[in-house]
Amino acid sequence: MEFYPVLVGIHNILRWVIILAMVAAMAGAWQGFFSGREWGKGDRLRSVVLVASLHLQLLLGLILYVQSDIVSAAMANVGAAMGETAARYYLVEHISMMILAVIVVQVGSILAKKADDDKEKHKRGAIWFTAGFVILVLGLHYVWMNAPLIPSF
């Protein structure tokens, strides 16, 4: 059995889990910030689920990256790949933006956890999770335009 298509399918499905987790974490953080409610178990759980799913997605993405025929071909001639939208996207843009999004969300989760008061926890989570979401969406621009949104196995 060929595992690459299965991993691509899992990676694609996990993208939607991450988007839902990011929306939930952002909404909870912004709502908590504006309402002044205390940072509770639900907030921490949303943060943990988001960070864990991002780390799993990054791991799957790195496995796909080193196994990808598109990336292998692009690495054989990087100069030419930079002139081709799809090759450049998979070789450089997607992986760079996704790593940056994971770092931003991870930093936000740590900063929120270490804040002294609940309002600051919500503020840090809201700002950093929103920044991570924007980076993630920008890093998916080619996928949104050119790939199926629902995987087929």
Side-chain angles (χ1 to χ4, degrees):
M1 178 178 180
E2 184 76 28
F3 284 105
Y4 186 83
V6 173
L7 289 178
V8 169
I10 294 168
H11 192 68
N12 193 339
I13 291 167
L14 191 54
R15 163 184 38 170
W16 295 107
V17 171
I18 288 168
I19 289 171
L20 290 173
M22 285 190 110
V23 168
M26 286 186 307
W30 283 112
Q31 189 274 334
F33 175 72
F34 288 119
S35 72
R37 74 170 164 76
E38 94 177 27
W39 178 270
K41 287 183 181 179
D43 297 298
R44 184 70 189 131
L45 180 62
R46 283 188 291 273
S47 178
V48 168
V49 167
L50 175 57
V51 169
S53 59
L54 280 168
H55 285 203
L56 177 59
Q57 184 76 323
L58 179 59
L59 178 62
L60 287 172
L62 291 172
I63 292 168
L64 290 169
Y65 187 82
V66 299
Q67 298 294 317
S68 170
D69 291 338
I70 295 171
V71 172
S72 295
M75 284 187 178
N77 189 349
V78 175
M82 291 299 113
E84 185 186 331
T85 303
R88 183 183 63 243
Y89 173 76
Y90 287 110
L91 180 64
V92 178
E93 294 172 8
H94 183 64
I95 192 166
S96 300
M97 297 291 277
M98 295 305 107
I99 290 171
L100 182 59
V102 171
I103 291 169
V104 167
V105 170
Q106 178 69 64
V107 167
S109 179
I110 292 167
L111 291 175
K113 183 179 177 182
K114 291 184 179 250
D116 292 331
D117 63 73
D118 292 330
K119 187 157 183 94
E120 187 64 22
K121 287 178 190 241
H122 287 297
K123 178 182 173 184
R124 290 177 182 185
I127 291 169
W128 287 85
F129 296 162
T130 302
F133 183 74
V134 169
I135 294 166
L136 182 121
V137 169
L138 291 174
L140 290 172
H141 68 87
Y142 185 81
V143 173
W144 297 122
M145 296 184 315
N146 298 294
L149 297 181
I150 310 260
S152 60
F153 294 97

